[in-house]
Amino acid sequence: YVFTTGNPKWERKNLTYRILNYTPKMRQADVDEAIRKALSVWSNVTPLTFQKVEDKEADIMISFAYRDHRDNSPFDGPNGQLAHAFQPGDGIGGDVHLDEEEAWSKNGRGYNLFIVIAHELGHSLGLSHSNDPGALMYPTYSYTDPKEFLLPQDDIDGIQAIYGQSDAALQPTGPITPRACDPKLTFDAIATLRGEIIFFKGRYMLRKHPARAETELNFISLFWPKLPSGIQAAYENVERDEVLLFKENKYWILKGYDIAPGYPKKIHHLGFPKTVKRVNAAYSDETTGKTYFFIADRYWRYDENKKSMDHGYPRKIVSDFGKIGRVDAAFQKDGYVYFFHGTTQFQFDPRAKRIVRQMKSISWFNC
Amino acid sequence: FPVAPEAEDEGKTLQLVESYLQNFYNLQRDHQPLLRNKGENPLAEKLKEMQAFFGLEVTGKPNPDTLEMMKKPRCGIPDVEQ
């Protein structure tokens, strides 16, 4: 995180805000809700409070503005600059200006008003832009479902360094942006995808392309806005050019950038008994058309051609794959299966039916 | 003569880069890279600053990754000088 030059901050904890006007692109009640929620993002983690005022000067004046709106910083039409805000101080200090020409929304279409205002309020309180790509205060826009939004730890650390912690007994913490070469990095799920390998972690996906040295970090929502974060298992069916993603008792089928219509479906649709509530990991063997699902200490085998579970399952993982413990994630590549358990990775040879190598979880990232 | 396409693209790229650096990295609008002494090119310096911030390869030149980052919608930086 970065403080604004000169470390400006509000000396009072009880601040006021006023909504000067509204955008015709959203219902007024939705704008009010987006602003209320955006303020609570910061008041939840600090001693700050925000009181709405209607008919007098407020510390934070929020307005929609068009092109040159007389603050020496004209907007630029749709896209590009979405909004800006002024650091703490009198007069224009703390004010938030939103570019009226943007496609404001309360969901994933256009630009989500809640996300943008929450970012701008960080400036109104004294934060500048963070270079943590997962931080709310990162300069470029990225969508997160407001229902799933959690203020990242980098932003919490920044704002608490200015105003201190909230009075709550239990201090909230936030998601930490995964770094490819963090030796403690573990994964929620991993799948191949058209020759690449996608490592899922929280809201993020690390994308490893065989021909590129560096690993790309993206939000899952950048590619699939309708997918939740916290994917728990994933595998690619190469023949059908599909990736199946699992979370709790639901699964989605992705075809490139699109989620197949009619999904998510319940995992019992695949043939799991009702006692199975979630899948820990999965991989599909392209040569045999068999897919392996790992749940706790057992695994099921599914026949992709017959589209049904094979008989004689579940079986104990240890019986057929050795001592790999509970499987967090798995994928198959070049004939080998890679199992991930915490920060440990096992390379399994399905022909020899044994583990041939043990590595660190981050061995794919050229650290 | 009609501007050769690549030269036209080059002109657009330079305009994108200048506008971005003026808006977000305080590149002076009157910067005259050619008139400065040899070692100093404010545009390249600001470009390096931007590339370093975003964890891009610091080249001082508008490579594809840098241009892609410049095209992303983002937060403005209001002029507080005045």
Side-chain angles (χ1 to χ4, degrees):
Chain A
Y1 60 88
V2 177
F3 297 140
T4 300
T5 308
N7 293 6
K9 64 176 284 189
W10 298 97
E11 293 315 324
R12 284 171 285 116
K13 295 283 195 283
N14 308 321
L15 303 174
T16 57
Y17 74 97
R18 181 176 168 191
I19 305 172
L20 285 176
N21 61 9
Y22 288 84
T23 171
K25 296 164 187 168
M26 288 174 65
R27 288 180 331 126
Q28 182 165 324
D30 291 336
V31 172
D32 287 335
E33 172 57 14
I35 291 172
R36 186 202 62 72
K37 188 174 167 63
L39 289 160
S40 72
V41 160
W42 299 106
S43 57
N44 285 346
V45 296
T46 63
L48 295 171
T49 66
F50 300 102
Q51 186 203 346
K52 187 175 181 182
V53 297
E54 303 283 354
D55 47 10
K56 61 179 179 174
E57 182 80 5
D59 299 313
I60 297 173
M61 306 280 262
I62 299 169
S63 61
F64 291 85
Y66 185 87
R67 302 288 169 142
D68 183 352
H69 49 285
R70 304 175 48 72
D71 65 359
N72 210 37
S73 310
F75 282 134
D76 54 359
N79 307 312
Q81 295 184 58
L82 305 180
H84 56 225
F86 290 82
Q87 61 193 58
D90 298 333
I92 203 169
D95 291 3
V96 173
H97 297 167
L98 300 143
D99 185 348
E100 171 42 55
E101 291 183 86
E102 304 304 345
W104 298 114
S105 82
K106 66 173 186 177
N107 49 40
R109 281 197 312 277
Y111 298 108
N112 183 276
L113 184 64
F114 157 68
I115 292 286
V116 173
I117 289 186
H119 172 102
E120 296 308 331
L121 288 170
H123 293 313
S124 304
L125 299 174
L127 286 177
S128 186
H129 285 136
S130 169
N131 66 0
D132 176 336
L136 173 62
M137 294 313 290
Y138 194 65
T140 55
Y141 174 84
S142 55
Y143 173 66
T144 299
D145 183 338
K147 295 191 294 295
E148 291 207 345
F149 180 81
L150 291 170
L151 186 62
Q153 193 58 45
D154 179 77
D155 304 291
I156 294 176
D157 295 346
I159 202 68
Q160 290 187 344
I162 301 175
Y163 296 102
Q165 294 186 341
S166 74
D167 310 330
L170 189 62
Q171 282 307 316
T173 57
I176 294 174
T177 306
R179 300 200 181 278
C181 290
D182 172 2
K184 296 191 296 298
L185 189 55
T186 60
F187 301 107
D188 299 340
I190 305 173
T192 53
L193 171 56
R194 297 180 177 174
E196 300 188 27
I197 308 173
I198 308 291
F199 297 77
F200 293 94
K201 178 73 175 177
R203 309 187 288 161
Y204 303 94
M205 49 187 268
L206 292 101
R207 196 177 159 194
K208 186 69 186 69
H209 188 287
R212 294 187 72 160
E214 71 282 353
T215 306
E216 198 178 298
L217 176 75
N218 293 114
F219 285 108
I220 295 171
S221 60
L222 178 67
F223 290 80
W224 302 291
K226 291 191 171 61
L227 275 188
S229 57
I231 296 296
Q232 292 166 340
Y235 75 89
E236 178 182 27
N237 180 312
V238 175
E239 197 171 297
R240 290 209 297 269
D241 185 27
E242 289 174 348
V243 170
L244 282 77
L245 300 175
F246 296 76
K247 181 172 184 181
E248 302 307 331
N249 66 349
K250 296 197 212 46
Y251 74 104
W252 292 256
I253 291 190
L254 300 184
K255 239 178 153 47
Y257 288 105
D258 303 320
I259 293 180
Y263 286 86
K265 284 187 174 153
K266 292 284 174 46
I267 57 175
H268 307 109
H269 182 78
L270 292 168
F272 285 110
K274 291 290 181 195
T275 51
V276 171
K277 304 296 182 199
R278 57 163 282 177
V279 178
N280 291 137
Y283 78 88
S284 192
D285 185 328
E286 192 183 336
T287 52
T288 61
K290 300 290 188 184
T291 295
Y292 297 79
F293 292 105
F294 299 84
I295 292 134
D297 62 348
R298 294 180 295 167
Y299 78 99
W300 271 256
R301 196 178 73 182
Y302 178 82
D303 188 307
E304 295 285 348
N305 303 311
K306 291 183 213 154
K307 291 187 182 295
S308 64
M309 287 293 178
D310 283 346
H311 295 296
Y313 292 86
R315 290 172 56 87
K316 286 276 186 192
I317 292 173
V318 69
S319 310
D320 302 327
F321 294 95
K323 289 188 171 31
I324 56 176
R326 175 196 161 102
V327 183
D328 293 337
F331 68 93
Q332 185 179 52
K333 189 156 185 68
D334 304 332
Y336 287 100
V337 184
Y338 296 89
F339 289 109
F340 290 73
H341 173 82
T343 57
T344 305
Q345 181 186 173
F346 301 99
Q347 182 182 12
F348 180 81
D349 181 343
R351 294 162 298 273
K353 294 193 189 316
R354 62 186 180 82
I355 293 167
V356 293
R357 204 160 53 125
Q358 181 171 324
M359 307 94 90
K360 285 228 160 288
S361 59
I362 55 173
S363 68
W364 296 86
F365 300 137
N366 310 319
C367 294
Chain B
F1 290 91
V3 175
E6 56 276 7
E8 188 171 354
D9 282 354
E10 212 166 290
K12 279 187 189 158
T13 298
L14 180 57
Q15 190 183 8
L16 166 71
V17 170
E18 275 190 336
S19 160
Y20 187 91
L21 296 176
Q22 285 162 356
N23 282 330
F24 306 114
Y25 283 84
N26 213 16
L27 174 69
Q28 295 314 306
R29 292 183 191 275
D30 63 347
H31 81 98
Q32 297 295 332
L34 309 180
L35 303 183
R36 296 293 178 115
N37 67 49
K38 195 163 170 27
E40 197 186 323
N41 172 348
L43 188 137
E45 291 314 305
K46 292 293 186 183
L47 196 47
K48 286 179 184 172
E49 187 184 330
M50 176 260 178
Q51 290 170 326
F53 179 90
F54 285 106
L56 300 166
E57 193 187 354
V58 179
T59 60
K61 294 184 178 62
N63 54 26
D65 283 353
T66 300
L67 292 175
E68 185 185 338
M69 182 59 79
M70 287 182 166
K71 291 170 186 161
K72 289 188 174 182
R74 58 160 289 164
C75 170
I77 296 186
D79 175 353
V80 293
E81 294 301 318
Q82 321 299 330

